[in-house]
Amino acid sequence: MTPERALDIVAARLLGEQAIPVKIRTRTEVTDAEIDELLAAVDFLIVHYRDSDSVPRTLAAAFVDIYAGFVPGDGAVTASQAQRLEDVAIALQDKAYQLFG
């Protein structure tokens, strides 16, 4: 994976028209593959930017209010799906601390 590809994945999965938060709001299925791809890209970028003083704006924007983007509305998903999405949101928050900390 390249930094550019990882940034593209993060932007698509968190900011794009078919982003995971958009899918959650519109009650469209979010696949494990999409989540796995996102988490792998973020992990790559954590390592890539470890010693950098700055990151691209797009990457920073992707993490603004990240937790809220993964909270489905009442009745939108099953309890197990809601728990899965909350776990992903918490993981992304932790990764944001690693990336920006």
Side-chain angles (χ1 to χ4, degrees):
M1 184 174 306
T2 65
E4 294 80 14
R5 176 68 181 133
L7 285 169
D8 287 346
I9 291 168
V10 171
R13 297 290 178 229
L14 295 179
L15 299 172
E17 291 179 17
Q18 295 295 313
I20 294 170
V22 172
K23 287 184 170 191
I24 292 168
R25 280 193 313 273
T26 60
R27 298 180 179 184
T28 303
E29 180 185 5
V30 176
T31 67
D32 288 338
E34 292 171 298
I35 291 170
D36 292 345
E37 180 183 49
L38 170 62
L39 295 175
V42 174
D43 286 340
F44 176 87
L45 293 170
I46 289 169
V47 173
H48 180 74
Y49 289 110
R50 180 178 295 143
D51 297 323
S52 296
D53 290 333
S54 63
V55 298
R57 284 182 174 187
T58 302
L59 182 57
F63 283 91
V64 172
D65 205 17
I66 192 70
Y67 187 85
F70 280 77
V71 177
D74 290 337
V77 297
T78 66
S80 64
Q81 290 168 326
Q83 183 62 54
R84 175 178 148 248
L85 292 171
E86 182 178 8
D87 291 345
V88 172
I90 291 167
L92 286 169
Q93 283 181 317
D94 290 342
K95 290 177 185 304
Y97 290 125
Q98 293 174 43
L99 186 60
F100 302 120

